Amino acid sequence: MVGFGNVGLYIKRFSPAVLEINGKVMVDGRANFGQGAKLCVGKGATLYIGDNVVNTAEARIVCFCKMNIGENALLGWEATIMDTDFHHTENVNTGELSIEKKEVTVGKGVWIGQRATVLKGCRIANNCIVGACAVVTKSFTQENTFLAGNPAVVKKIDIKIHR
C-alpha cells in the first residue's frame, strides 16, 4: 500500500508519495508506505523488504547498492535510510574519482524513530530501537538495544518495541 494514512501534519496534496525504481525491489509479503513516503532504487541496486514493513509519513529509503529491511521493521516520520552518499570523492594524489556505496541491513522488528538517519555500510541487529533524530554511522550487532545520539551509540540493552 502506498500513500496510506492521513497525518494532519502533512497535507497529501503537497506531500505525495514518490516511487522511483530503476533497480530491483523484492517485497516478501505486505509493506506499507505512508503519506509522502519516498522510495528511490537506482540502476543495478537491489532492495529487499520483509513482510509487514511500515514506512510512515515522509520516510525515505534510498538504495543505490544493496539494502535489506527485515520483517516488522518500522520507519518513523521523516526517517531516512540510504546506502550511498551520492557525492563523488577524489583522491588528491591520483585524481581517481569514486562514489561511496555500501550495503545496509536493518534487522527484523527494528524501529527507526522520527527523523533518524541510517547511513551507508550500517547494520542494525534485530529488535533494536533507533531514537528520534539519531544518526547511525556504524554497525550495531547486539540485538534488543536502544541506539540514540549523533553519532548513534548504545544507550540501553535488553529492550524491544512492543507493537
Side-chain angles (χ1 to χ4, degrees):
M1 184 181 327
V2 177
F4 77 94
N6 189 14
V7 179
L9 298 176
Y10 303 101
I11 301 168
K12 282 188 178 185
R13 187 170 135 209
F14 299 112
S15 185
V18 176
L19 302 176
E20 182 181 329
I21 301 172
N22 296 304
K24 185 187 295 185
V25 177
M26 296 175 288
V27 180
D28 185 11
R30 181 183 173 104
N32 294 304
F33 294 86
Q35 179 179 327
K38 313 294 189 268
L39 177 65
C40 179
V41 181
K43 185 176 180 181
T46 301
L47 171 62
Y48 171 82
I49 299 173
D51 188 31
N52 198 36
V53 168
V54 177
N55 184 10
T56 62
E58 297 290 335
R60 294 170 291 274
I61 297 173
V62 180
C63 178
F64 274 69
C65 180
K66 184 177 181 183
M67 189 179 298
N68 293 290
I69 302 175
E71 64 187 52
N72 298 313
L74 172 63
L75 280 71
W77 293 0
E78 299 178 20
T80 301
I81 304 174
M82 52 196 301
D83 65 5
T84 180
D85 58 15
F86 288 106
H87 301 283
H88 291 281
T89 57
E90 179 180 349
N91 181 310
V92 294
N93 295 317
T94 66
E96 180 182 356
L97 291 175
S98 66
I99 186 167
E100 284 292 323
K101 297 185 276 188
K102 294 181 183 172
E103 182 175 342
V104 170
T105 301
V106 175
K108 297 175 182 178
V110 170
W111 176 19
I112 299 174
Q114 179 187 11
R115 292 189 176 157
T117 302
V118 178
L119 297 174
K120 68 182 185 292
C122 294
R123 178 179 180 272
I124 301 173
N126 295 339
N127 299 311
C128 288
I129 299 171
V130 178
C133 299
V135 179
V136 181
T137 61
K138 65 180 185 177
S139 293
F140 292 90
T141 58
Q142 184 177 355
E143 294 185 0
N144 302 94
T145 58
F146 174 62
L147 313 171
N150 181 2
V153 295
V154 174
K155 295 290 189 174
K156 291 183 183 179
I157 59 172
D158 299 327
I159 55 93
K160 79 176 200 178
I161 185 174
H162 181 70
R163 286 172 73 176

